[in-house]
Amino acid sequence: MNQLRLIKTIVFVFTFLLILGSLTLIGFFYHKTIRQDSLAPSTTNLRQSASSSIKQIVADNGLLYILVTKTNQPDKIIIFNPKKNNIVSNLTTY
């Protein structure tokens, strides 16, 4: 009789662990997919003078194309990668 009780206890414990592990795994994937699309706001410096102004911003393929104007100087297009938070390229228009 003790062997039957031991087997029932082992089956109960393994069932409990299986259900607990499954629920934990489902919760982990649920929270990971919910937070994947949200981006935290950040501040970045485009290394432009204070007299510069942003005229237009266009997004394409995960990059931001920022048109920066300054009086009496040619316009600049800054290609910015928001995921890596860095400037990919600076283009000057003439």
Side-chain angles (χ1 to χ4, degrees), residues 17-81:
L17 290 175
L18 180 67
I19 292 171
L20 182 67
S22 298
L23 291 176
T24 303
L25 193 63
I26 289 170
F28 173 75
F29 285 129
Y30 175 76
H31 286 291
K32 188 171 182 173
T33 56
I34 293 298
R35 285 189 275 158
Q36 183 179 16
D37 294 335
S38 64
L39 293 175
S42 66
T43 58
T44 187
N45 185 1
L46 296 177
R47 297 187 294 267
Q48 299 299 310
S49 64
S51 62
S52 298
S53 64
I54 296 175
K55 186 125 182 161
Q56 184 178 7
I57 300 175
V58 177
D60 185 38
N61 291 331
L63 297 175
L64 295 176
Y65 296 86
I66 305 167
L67 177 62
V68 178
T69 59
K70 189 175 179 181
T71 55
N72 299 328
Q73 290 189 0
D75 295 343
K76 290 183 182 179
I77 298 174
I78 299 172
I79 303 173
F80 182 75
N81 187 345

